[in-house]
Amino acid sequence: NAGVTQTPKFQVLKTGQSMTLQCAQDMNHNSMYWYRQDPGMGLRLIYYSASEGTTDKGEVPNGYNVSRLNKREFSLRLESAAPSQTSVYFCASNRDRYTEAFFGQGTRLTVV
Amino acid sequence: QKEVEQNSGPLSVPEGAIASLNCTYSDRVSQSFFWYRQYSGKSPELIMSIYSNGDKEDGRFTAQLNKASQYVSLLIRDSQPSDSATYLCAVENYGGSQGNLIFGKGTKLSVKP
C-alpha cells in the first residue's frame, strides 16, 4: 500500500515564485491535513480538510491556499514564496478525528 | 487554545533500560490518543493508539492513559539505540484552528549503548 504520497520531496524556490505541493492518499480517508515543521516548533497545522468538499484554516494559514480536489487529493499552494516559508511540509490523513493519522514522507522546501 | 504538553528532553537512558515518556492534555472531552515516533529527517510514524483508561501493550511499548488526570504516557522496555528519536503525543480534537488532531512538540529520546 502506498499510503500517503507527497510530491516533490525537495524543492528550492526563489522569493516570489509559486508552487503547489501535491498529496494523495489511497486509504479512503475522509480527513487530510497539511503541517509544517520547523526546528523547535513542532508540527504546526496550516490547513485541513475534515471531509471532501470542506477546507479550514489551521494555526498558520497565511501565505498558503489549499484545494481538496477529491477524496484522495489535497494540494497546498504557495502563491508568492517567502524565506519564512522555508520548512519541512507534511501531508497527513485519517478516517476521522478519532482514528490515527498517517503521514507522507515530507517535502523539504527552501526559499532563497 | 487547547494544549498538549510534553517535556522536550533530551531524555537520555542507557541501553536496556526503561524509557518513560509523558504527555498531558488540556481538553477533558478528548477520547483518542496517539504516540508517534519521528527519526531525524523522516516523517512521524504511528507507534500506539489508546482509547480507554489503563495500559495497552504492544511488544516493548506500553501506552498508559489516565483520563481523570489528563495524562498519557509511553513506556519503552529494553530500550535500544534504534529507539533514539523524537516521540510525539497526539490527542483528538473537535476541529477549529487546531484541526482534528493536536500534537505536542515532542520529547527527544537518546538511548546510549
Side-chain angles (χ1 to χ4, degrees), chain A residues 100-103, chain B residues 6 19 21 33-39 43-51 56-63 73-77 82-90 103 107 109:
Chain A
E100 59 271 16
F102 295 91
F103 284 79
Chain B
Q6 297 181 253
L21 304 162
F33 307 87
F34 309 96
W35 282 101
Y36 289 81
R37 177 176 62 200
Q38 186 176 24
Y39 292 115
S43 60
E45 58 178 327
L46 181 73
I47 301 175
M48 297 277 289
S49 57
I50 186 165
Y51 304 95
K56 180 181 178 183
E57 187 174 319
D58 184 0
R60 295 187 296 111
F61 298 96
T62 299
S73 66
L74 179 70
L75 300 178
I76 307 175
R77 292 183 300 280
S82 59
D83 295 324
S84 297
T86 296
Y87 290 80
L88 304 173
C89 173
F103 283 86
T107 298
L109 173 65

Side-chain angles (χ1 to χ4, degrees), chain A residues 7-8 15 23 25 28 40 51 56 60 65-66 70 107 112:
Chain A
T7 55
T15 298
C23 176
Q25 51 89 11
N28 200 35
S51 60
D56 287 284
V60 289
N65 285 300
V66 291
N70 48 55
T107 297
V112 297

Side-chain angles (χ1 to χ4, degrees), chain B:
Chain B
Q1 191 84 337
K2 298 167 191 172
E3 294 182 335
V4 175
E5 300 281 353
Q6 297 181 253
N7 287 328
S8 61
L11 174 65
S12 182
V13 300
E15 183 174 356
I18 296 175
S20 178
L21 304 162
N22 304 316
C23 171
T24 59
Y25 59 96
S26 62
D27 190 357
R28 287 191 171 275
V29 303
S30 294
Q31 296 294 318
S32 304
F33 307 87
F34 309 96
W35 282 101
Y36 289 81
R37 177 176 62 200
Q38 186 176 24
Y39 292 115
S40 181
K42 301 294 186 181
S43 60
E45 58 178 327
L46 181 73
I47 301 175
M48 297 277 289
S49 57
I50 186 165
Y51 304 95
S52 303
N53 278 331
D55 295 359
K56 180 181 178 183
E57 187 174 319
D58 184 0
R60 295 187 296 111
F61 298 96
T62 299
Q64 300 175 317
L65 174 60
N66 183 326
K67 290 184 181 179
S69 300
Q70 296 174 237
Y71 177 89
V72 191
S73 66
L74 179 70
L75 300 178
I76 307 175
R77 292 183 300 280
D78 188 23
S79 295
Q80 301 297 309
S82 59
D83 295 324
S84 297
T86 296
Y87 290 80
L88 304 173
C89 173
V91 175
E92 162 255 327
N93 179 54
Y94 187 67
S97 67
Q98 293 177 286
N100 291 344
L101 203 58
I102 303 176
F103 283 86
K105 292 186 177 181
T107 298
K108 187 171 184 178
L109 173 65
S110 176
V111 181
K112 299 197 179 302

Side-chain angles (χ1 to χ4, degrees), chain A residues 70-108:
Chain A
N70 48 55
K71 191 170 186 179
R72 290 187 63 247
E73 298 172 286
F74 188 40
S75 63
L76 177 72
R77 182 160 179 84
L78 287 71
E79 291 290 353
S80 179
S84 61
Q85 294 178 304
T86 294
S87 188
V88 180
Y89 292 84
F90 291 105
C91 177
S93 72
N94 61 1
R95 190 185 71 210
D96 54 50
R97 76 174 198 261
Y98 299 109
T99 59
E100 59 271 16
F102 295 91
F103 284 79
Q105 69 268 50
T107 297
R108 188 172 296 272

